[in-house]
């Protein structure tokens, strides 16, 4: 892994390249939701760099298509990517079960198979418990929980033995946070749902795990990054005293998809710098 310091955020370390190589992943096919930006975009790029073909899907179709085009162009000139995969961008609203099936059909049409399903799309609304509206509650549970379940249903229809599903949970699954009750509840549900799915899909030889990130440097944590007091308080709870980068979440994701994790299912990996409280 090579590291460089981020001049715009002194003290923070940016991981620019992960060294772990899993040659068995080359030629496999992954669906990644919420891939227009943030961690999903990093996952799509990292997988394609290792020869995995990707259907990257997002509700923001324009940004998704631009991200897919940018990754494909970058990979053409990336000397580290020997035989890169291709990223195909698509629109999806993860709250719609049928749209997951369309993603699977797209993967089959473009690449002939589906091996991995990364349920990454999520929303992080702020609303105090006394004020939260039915619409906000519904949207949070619909995107963050139902979206994961519908993705898993499509994956179960198309993944074969050796297939793997990874769901994005959060440290918020275990801890509460003011104004984020619906979000924390939704991520606790994702962790629990992951265990349930692992029990059911084990018969098919499909593994299901989740990742529980802490504070990761994406648009979702802009609110804390732009508030020096909130940032200091947040990092005080992180033994490594910095935000994580999307690339640092990609490493554990890669492990969970790889043969190295072939006896790992129904678990959650925390990627949070050792976070102890919020
Ligand atoms: N950033 C963090 O610190 C952090 C921490 C813990 C967990 N997570 C989780 O990781 C995942 C990725 O987070 P991120 O930080 O990259 O967020 P992000 O906001 O940068 O990206 C989320 C993506 O999901 C897409 N999306 C939202 N609703 C959708 C829908 N209905 N259908 C399809 N796509 C939809 C958005 O358009 C966006 O591109 C989320 O599930 C989030 O809850 C993030």
């Amino acid at each position: 892994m090579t590291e460089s310091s981020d001049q715009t955020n002194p003290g923070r370390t940016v991981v620019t390249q992960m060294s772990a190589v899993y040659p068995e992943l080359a030629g496999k096919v992954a669906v990644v939701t919420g891939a227009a930006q943030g961690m999903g975009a990093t996952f799509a790029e990292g997988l394609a760099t290792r020869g995995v073909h990707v259907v990257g899907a997002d509700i923001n179709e324009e940004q998704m298509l631009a991200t897919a085009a940018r990754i494909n162009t970058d990979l053409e000139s990336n000397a580290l990517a020997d035989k890169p995969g291709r990223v195909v961008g698509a629109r999806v609203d993860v709250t719609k079960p049928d749209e997951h099936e369309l993603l699977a059909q797209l993967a089959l049409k473009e690449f002939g198979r589906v091996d991995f399903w990364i349920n990454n799309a999520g929303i992080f609304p702020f609303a105090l418990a006394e004020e939260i509206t039915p619409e906000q509650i519904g949207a949070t549970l619909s995107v963050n929980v139902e979206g994961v379940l519908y993705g898993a249903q499509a994956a179960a229809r198309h993944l074969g033995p050796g297939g793997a599903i990874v769901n994005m949970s959060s440290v918020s699954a275990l801890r509460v946070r003011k104004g984020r009750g619906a979000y924390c509840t939704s991520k606790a549900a994702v962790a629990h749902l992951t265990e349930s799915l692992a029990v059911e899909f084990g018969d098919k030889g499909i593994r299901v795990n989740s990742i529980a990130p802490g504070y990761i440097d994406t648009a979702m944590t802009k609110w804390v990054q732009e508030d020096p007091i909130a940032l200091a308080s947040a990092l005080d709870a992180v033994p490594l005293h910095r935000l994580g980068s999307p690339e640092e979440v990609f490493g554990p994701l890669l492990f969970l998809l790889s043969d190295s994790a072939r006896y790992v299912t129904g678990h959650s990996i925390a990627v949070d710098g050792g976070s102890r409280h919020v």
Side-chain angles (χ1 to χ4, degrees):
M1 194 192 309
T2 57
E3 297 181 344
S4 63
S5 99
D6 177 351
Q7 299 310 316
T8 61
N9 190 353
R12 196 184 145 245
T13 300
V14 179
V15 177
T16 54
Q17 182 198 331
M18 311 296 289
S19 59
V21 179
Y22 298 99
E24 72 274 19
L25 297 180
K28 297 272 174 79
V29 177
V31 172
V32 183
T33 67
Q37 62 176 40
M39 284 188 259
T42 297
F43 297 166
E45 180 160 13
L47 288 169
T49 304
R50 284 155 183 82
V52 178
H53 298 298
V54 177
V55 169
D58 203 286
I59 199 160
N60 186 338
E61 183 177 20
E62 195 182 333
Q63 193 181 353
M64 184 66 249
L65 295 180
T67 297
R70 197 261 308 152
I71 293 172
N72 289 328
T73 304
D74 285 356
L75 286 176
E76 279 171 25
S77 56
N78 184 344
L80 294 168
D82 184 18
K83 271 189 164 180
R86 188 160 55 89
V87 180
V88 171
R91 183 191 183 279
V92 74
D93 178 351
V94 295
T95 67
K96 307 274 182 345
D98 295 352
E99 296 192 11
H100 290 272
E101 179 58 28
L102 293 177
L103 294 183
Q105 294 302 331
L106 180 61
L108 291 172
K109 179 169 143 271
E110 293 283 337
F111 306 121
R113 55 191 290 159
V114 199
D115 302 283
F116 307 130
W117 203 286
I118 321 301
N119 286 308
N120 168 73
I123 57 172
F124 184 59
F126 180 93
L128 294 169
E130 279 186 277
E131 296 161 7
I132 193 165
T133 63
E135 290 72 24
Q136 287 171 309
I137 297 169
T140 309
L141 297 179
S142 186
V143 175
N144 292 1
V145 185
E146 290 178 45
V148 169
L149 180 52
Y150 299 145
Q153 288 178 326
R157 283 192 293 272
H158 296 285
L159 268 55
I165 299 170
V166 177
N167 302 323
M168 290 303 278
S169 175
S170 167
V171 290
S172 301
L174 295 175
R175 295 179 209 130
V176 292
R177 196 188 289 261
K178 209 172 182 179
R180 308 285 183 182
Y183 179 81
C184 295
T185 302
S186 74
K187 292 301 184 181
V190 170
H192 210 71
L193 178 59
T194 299
E195 291 188 47
S196 305
L197 294 170
V199 167
E200 294 194 21
F201 296 176
D203 294 347
K204 294 173 180 281
I206 298 172
R207 297 179 299 104
V208 192
N209 292 289
S210 62
I211 293 179
Y215 290 102
I216 308 300
D217 183 2
T218 71
M220 201 172 269
T221 51
K222 227 171 170 213
W223 64 278
V224 74
Q225 297 192 51
E226 288 175 348
D227 178 343
I229 295 174
L231 183 61
S233 155
L235 296 186
D236 190 42
V238 179
L240 295 183
H241 298 301
R242 63 177 176 83
L243 301 176
S245 69
E247 289 83 356
E248 288 170 310
V249 184
F250 176 65
L253 171 75
L254 206 52
F255 163 72
L256 286 174
L257 299 181
S258 77
D259 284 353
S260 297
R262 67 186 171 204
Y263 200 53
V264 180
T265 192
H267 287 284
S268 177
I269 296 186
V271 187
D272 61 358
S275 172
R276 283 296 167 264
H277 61 88
V278 288

